[in-house]
Amino acid sequence: MIFSNRIIKYSTVVFTAALMIFLAGCNDVKYDKEFKSESPSGEKTVTVKVDHVSRPDVFYNDECIFEYSGSGFSETVYWNVEWISENEIRLYLDSYEGEDYSIDIPDE
């Protein structure tokens, strides 16, 4: 009886630890590539993370400020970032019409 209680407790601890490690790493597993773009003054940097079907999410100070809601692409596409101002970027594709987004950068 005591032996089986220890096994159950040990299994529960191992399972919980494994689950926590998996969930902590899930965010990084979602993305295949990432690139950074710095503002003209150099004071701000955004990170564009792209998944396996070329859907971009944009991060500023580790906070997601833009999530792509489309279904993705059957081929690899390369997103461009153009700084409009210190507080706004343009995320777009040269090869696809309609894939052009204006994204506000939050104040710190």
Side-chain angles (χ1 to χ4, degrees):
M1 181 87 149
I2 294 173
F3 182 71
S4 65
N5 285 342
R6 284 186 181 173
I7 289 176
I8 291 171
K9 286 180 184 179
Y10 179 76
S11 298
T12 303
V13 169
V14 170
F15 176 76
T16 303
L19 183 62
M20 290 173 66
I21 290 169
F22 174 76
L23 292 175
C26 273
N27 204 20
D28 293 334
V29 173
K30 180 180 175 183
Y31 301 106
D32 285 348
K33 297 177 252 186
E34 73 175 56
F35 65 92
K36 296 181 185 289
S37 180
E38 195 172 275
S39 68
S41 72
E43 291 182 17
K44 295 184 177 183
T45 301
V46 296
T47 302
V48 179
K49 296 182 180 184
V50 182
D51 70 7
H52 69 284
V53 289
S54 298
R55 290 179 297 213
D57 292 340
V58 180
F59 292 81
Y60 177 67
N61 288 341
D62 294 325
E63 177 186 339
C64 186
I65 60 171
F66 174 82
E67 288 182 278
Y68 184 79
S69 60
S71 61
F73 301 87
S74 58
E75 72 278 355
T76 301
V77 295
Y78 298 96
W79 291 90
N80 300 298
V81 172
E82 176 185 346
W83 285 85
I84 305 301
S85 69
E86 284 296 308
N87 297 316
E88 182 182 5
I89 61 169
R90 176 182 172 222
L91 179 70
Y92 66 98
L93 290 173
D94 285 328
S95 53
Y96 284 86
E97 193 172 312
E99 297 295 340
D100 197 327
Y101 304 92
S102 177
I103 303 166
D104 291 328
I105 309 299
D107 292 327
E108 294 183 53

